[in-house]
Coordinates of all heavy atoms in Angstrom, one line a residue:
K1 N 222.4 -30.1 -46.0 CA 222.6 -29.5 -44.8 C 221.5 -29.8 -43.8 O 221.6 -29.2 -42.7 CB 222.6 -27.9 -45.1 CG 223.9 -27.5 -46.0 CD 223.8 -26.0 -46.1 CE 225.0 -25.6 -47.0 NZ 224.9 -24.1 -47.2
N2 N 220.5 -30.5 -44.2 CA 219.3 -30.7 -43.2 C 218.8 -29.4 -42.8 O 218.5 -29.3 -41.5 CB 219.8 -31.7 -42.1 CG 219.0 -33.0 -42.1 OD1 218.2 -33.3 -43.0 ND2 219.2 -33.7 -41.1
T3 N 218.7 -28.4 -43.6 CA 218.2 -27.2 -43.2 C 217.0 -26.8 -44.1 O 217.0 -27.0 -45.3 CB 219.4 -26.1 -43.4 OG1 220.5 -26.5 -42.6 CG2 218.9 -24.7 -43.1
V4 N 216.1 -26.1 -43.4 CA 214.8 -25.7 -44.0 C 214.7 -24.2 -43.9 O 215.0 -23.6 -42.8 CB 213.6 -26.4 -43.4 CG1 212.3 -25.7 -43.9 CG2 213.6 -27.8 -43.8
Y5 N 214.3 -23.7 -45.0 CA 214.2 -22.1 -44.9 C 212.7 -21.7 -45.2 O 212.0 -22.4 -46.0 CB 215.1 -21.4 -46.1 CG 216.4 -21.8 -46.0 CD1 217.0 -23.0 -46.8 CD2 217.3 -21.2 -45.2 CE1 218.2 -23.5 -46.8 CE2 218.6 -21.6 -45.2 CZ 219.1 -22.7 -45.9 OH 220.5 -23.1 -45.8
L6 N 212.1 -20.9 -44.5 CA 210.9 -20.3 -44.7 C 210.9 -18.8 -45.1 O 211.2 -17.9 -44.3 CB 209.9 -20.5 -43.5 CG 208.5 -20.0 -43.6 CD1 207.8 -20.9 -44.5 CD2 207.8 -20.0 -42.2
Q7 N 210.7 -18.5 -46.3 CA 210.7 -17.2 -46.9 C 209.3 -16.6 -46.6 O 208.4 -17.1 -47.2 CB 211.1 -17.1 -48.3 CG 211.1 -15.8 -49.0 CD 212.2 -14.8 -48.3 OE1 213.2 -15.3 -48.1 NE2 211.8 -13.5 -48.2
M8 N 209.2 -15.7 -45.9 CA 207.9 -14.9 -45.5 C 207.9 -13.6 -46.1 O 208.5 -12.6 -45.7 CB 207.8 -14.8 -44.0 CG 208.1 -16.2 -43.3 SD 208.4 -16.0 -41.6 CE 206.8 -15.5 -41.0
D9 N 207.0 -13.4 -47.2 CA 206.8 -12.1 -47.9 C 205.4 -11.6 -47.6 O 204.5 -12.3 -47.2 CB 207.0 -12.4 -49.3 CG 208.4 -12.9 -49.7 OD1 209.3 -12.3 -49.1 OD2 208.5 -13.7 -50.6
S10 N 205.2 -10.4 -48.0 CA 204.0 -9.8 -47.8 C 203.3 -10.0 -46.4 O 202.2 -10.3 -46.3 CB 203.0 -10.2 -48.9 OG 203.5 -10.0 -50.1
L11 N 204.2 -9.7 -45.4 CA 203.8 -10.0 -44.1 C 202.6 -9.3 -43.6 O 202.3 -8.0 -43.9 CB 205.0 -9.8 -43.1 CG 206.1 -11.0 -43.1 CD1 207.2 -10.4 -42.5 CD2 205.6 -12.1 -42.4
K12 N 201.6 -9.9 -42.8 CA 200.5 -9.1 -42.3 C 200.4 -9.2 -40.8 O 201.3 -10.1 -40.2 CB 199.3 -10.0 -42.8 CG 199.1 -10.1 -44.2 CD 197.9 -10.9 -44.7 CE 197.6 -11.1 -46.0 NZ 196.4 -11.9 -46.4
P13 N 199.8 -8.3 -40.1 CA 199.8 -8.3 -38.6 C 199.3 -9.8 -38.1 O 199.9 -10.1 -37.0 CB 198.7 -7.2 -38.3 CG 198.8 -6.3 -39.4 CD 199.0 -7.2 -40.7
E14 N 198.5 -10.4 -38.8 CA 198.0 -11.7 -38.2 C 199.2 -12.7 -38.3 O 198.9 -13.9 -37.9 CB 196.8 -12.1 -39.0 CG 196.8 -12.1 -40.5 CD 196.2 -10.9 -41.0 OE1 196.6 -9.7 -40.5 OE2 195.5 -11.0 -42.0
D15 N 200.2 -12.5 -38.9 CA 201.4 -13.4 -39.1 C 202.2 -13.3 -37.7 O 203.0 -14.2 -37.5 CB 202.3 -13.2 -40.1 CG 201.6 -13.4 -41.5 OD1 200.8 -14.3 -41.7 OD2 201.9 -12.6 -42.5
T16 N 201.9 -12.3 -36.8 CA 202.6 -12.2 -35.6 C 202.4 -13.4 -34.7 O 201.2 -13.9 -34.5 CB 202.1 -11.0 -34.9 OG1 202.5 -9.9 -35.6 CG2 202.7 -10.9 -33.5
S17 N 203.4 -14.1 -34.3 CA 203.3 -15.4 -33.7 C 204.7 -15.8 -33.1 O 205.7 -15.3 -33.7 CB 202.7 -16.5 -34.5 OG 202.4 -17.6 -33.8
V18 N 204.8 -16.9 -32.3 CA 206.0 -17.6 -32.2 C 206.1 -18.6 -33.2 O 205.1 -19.5 -33.3 CB 206.1 -18.2 -30.8 CG1 207.5 -19.0 -30.6 CG2 205.9 -17.0 -29.8
Y19 N 207.1 -18.8 -34.0 CA 207.3 -19.9 -35.0 C 208.3 -21.0 -34.4 O 209.3 -20.6 -33.9 CB 207.8 -19.2 -36.2 CG 206.7 -18.4 -37.0 CD1 206.2 -17.2 -36.5 CD2 206.1 -19.0 -38.1 CE1 205.3 -16.5 -37.1 CE2 205.1 -18.3 -38.7 CZ 204.7 -17.0 -38.2 OH 203.6 -16.3 -38.9
Y20 N 207.8 -22.1 -34.6 CA 208.6 -23.4 -34.1 C 209.0 -24.2 -35.2 O 208.1 -24.6 -36.1 CB 207.7 -24.1 -33.0 CG 207.4 -23.4 -31.8 CD1 206.2 -22.8 -31.8 CD2 208.2 -23.5 -30.7 CE1 205.8 -22.0 -30.6 CE2 207.8 -22.9 -29.5 CZ 206.7 -22.1 -29.5 OH 206.2 -21.5 -28.3
C21 N 210.2 -24.6 -35.2 CA 210.6 -25.6 -36.2 C 210.3 -26.9 -35.6 O 210.4 -27.2 -34.5 CB 212.2 -25.5 -36.4 SG 212.9 -26.7 -37.5
S22 N 209.9 -27.8 -36.6 CA 209.7 -29.2 -36.1 C 210.2 -30.2 -37.1 O 210.1 -29.9 -38.4 CB 208.0 -29.4 -36.0 OG 207.8 -30.7 -35.7
A23 N 210.7 -31.3 -36.6 CA 211.3 -32.3 -37.5 C 210.9 -33.6 -37.1 O 210.8 -34.0 -35.9 CB 212.8 -32.2 -37.5
V24 N 210.7 -34.5 -38.1 CA 210.3 -35.8 -37.9 C 211.3 -36.8 -38.2 O 211.8 -36.8 -39.4 CB 208.9 -36.2 -38.7 CG1 208.5 -37.6 -38.4 CG2 207.8 -35.2 -38.3
S25 N 211.6 -37.8 -37.3 CA 212.5 -38.9 -37.6 C 211.8 -40.1 -37.0 O 211.7 -40.3 -35.9 CB 213.8 -38.6 -36.8 OG 214.7 -39.8 -37.0
G26 N 211.4 -41.0 -38.0 CA 210.8 -42.2 -37.5 C 209.4 -41.8 -36.9 O 208.7 -41.1 -37.5
P27 N 209.1 -42.5 -35.7 CA 207.9 -42.2 -35.0 C 208.0 -40.8 -34.2 O 207.0 -40.6 -33.4 CB 207.8 -43.5 -34.1 CG 209.1 -43.8 -33.8 CD 209.9 -43.5 -35.0
Y28 N 209.1 -40.2 -34.1 CA 209.3 -39.1 -33.2 C 209.2 -37.8 -34.0 O 209.7 -37.6 -35.0 CB 210.6 -39.3 -32.5 CG 210.8 -40.6 -31.8 CD1 211.6 -41.6 -32.3 CD2 210.1 -40.9 -30.6 CE1 211.8 -42.7 -31.6 CE2 210.3 -42.0 -30.0 CZ 211.1 -43.0 -30.5 OH 211.2 -44.1 -29.9
R29 N 208.6 -36.7 -33.2 CA 208.6 -35.4 -33.7 C 209.5 -34.6 -32.7 O 209.2 -34.6 -31.4 CB 207.2 -34.8 -33.8 CG 207.1 -33.4 -34.3 CD 205.7 -33.0 -34.5 NE 205.1 -33.5 -35.6 CZ 205.3 -33.1 -36.9 NH1 206.1 -32.1 -37.1 NH2 204.8 -33.7 -38.0
Y30 N 210.2 -33.8 -33.1 CA 211.2 -32.9 -32.4 C 210.7 -31.4 -32.6 O 210.3 -31.0 -33.7 CB 212.6 -33.1 -32.7 CG 213.1 -34.6 -32.4 CD1 213.0 -35.5 -33.6 CD2 213.5 -34.9 -31.2 CE1 213.3 -36.8 -33.3 CE2 213.8 -36.3 -30.9 CZ 213.8 -37.2 -32.0 OH 214.3 -38.5 -31.8
W31 N 210.9 -30.6 -31.5 CA 210.5 -29.2 -31.6 C 211.8 -28.3 -31.3 O 212.6 -28.6 -30.4 CB 209.4 -28.8 -30.8 CG 208.2 -29.6 -31.0 CD1 207.7 -30.7 -30.6 CD2 207.1 -29.1 -32.0 NE1 206.4 -31.1 -31.2 CE2 206.1 -30.0 -32.0 CE3 207.1 -28.0 -32.8 CZ2 205.0 -29.9 -32.8 CZ3 206.0 -27.8 -33.7 CH2 204.9 -28.8 -33.6
G32 N 211.8 -27.2 -32.0 CA 212.8 -26.1 -31.6 C 212.2 -25.3 -30.5 O 211.1 -25.5 -30.1
Q33 N 213.0 -24.3 -30.0 CA 212.6 -23.5 -28.9 C 211.6 -22.4 -29.3 O 211.0 -21.8 -28.5 CB 213.8 -22.9 -28.2 CG 214.6 -24.0 -27.5 CD 215.7 -23.5 -26.6 OE1 216.1 -22.2 -26.8 NE2 216.1 -24.2 -25.6
G34 N 211.5 -22.0 -30.6 CA 210.7 -21.1 -31.0 C 211.4 -19.7 -31.3 O 212.3 -19.3 -30.6
T35 N 210.8 -19.0 -32.3 CA 211.4 -17.7 -32.6 C 210.2 -16.8 -32.8 O 209.3 -17.1 -33.5 CB 212.4 -17.6 -33.8 OG1 212.9 -16.4 -34.0 CG2 211.7 -18.1 -35.0
Q36 N 210.3 -15.6 -32.2 CA 209.2 -14.6 -32.3 C 209.3 -13.8 -33.5 O 210.3 -13.4 -34.1 CB 209.3 -13.6 -31.1 CG 208.2 -12.5 -31.2 CD 206.8 -13.1 -30.9 OE1 206.6 -13.9 -30.0 NE2 205.9 -12.7 -31.7
V37 N 208.1 -13.8 -34.3 CA 208.0 -12.9 -35.5 C 206.8 -12.0 -35.1 O 205.7 -12.3 -34.7 CB 207.5 -13.7 -36.7 CG1 207.0 -12.8 -37.9 CG2 208.7 -14.6 -37.1
T38 N 207.1 -10.8 -35.2 CA 206.2 -9.7 -34.9 C 206.0 -8.7 -36.2 O 207.1 -8.2 -36.7 CB 206.6 -8.8 -33.8 OG1 206.8 -9.6 -32.7 CG2 205.6 -7.7 -33.4

């Protein structure tokens, strides 16, 4: 499915951030728009 999952357990306040998916194809790196985790 070309899908990646990030299971985030035991969350801490310092994990608060915008999380971006990134994928590499050949010499190129692509970025998602980001999702907020608070």
Side-chain angles (χ1 to χ4, degrees):
K1 297 180 180 179
N2 244 4
T3 298
V4 165
Y5 306 95
L6 183 68
Q7 179 66 40
M8 310 165 68
D9 298 322
S10 302
L11 285 163
K12 302 177 179 180
E14 51 263 42
D15 295 323
T16 295
S17 189
V18 180
Y19 285 74
Y20 296 89
C21 179
S22 179
V24 175
S25 178
Y28 303 106
R29 178 176 290 279
Y30 301 89
W31 295 96
Q33 292 191 337
T35 184
Q36 177 70 44
V37 170
T38 302

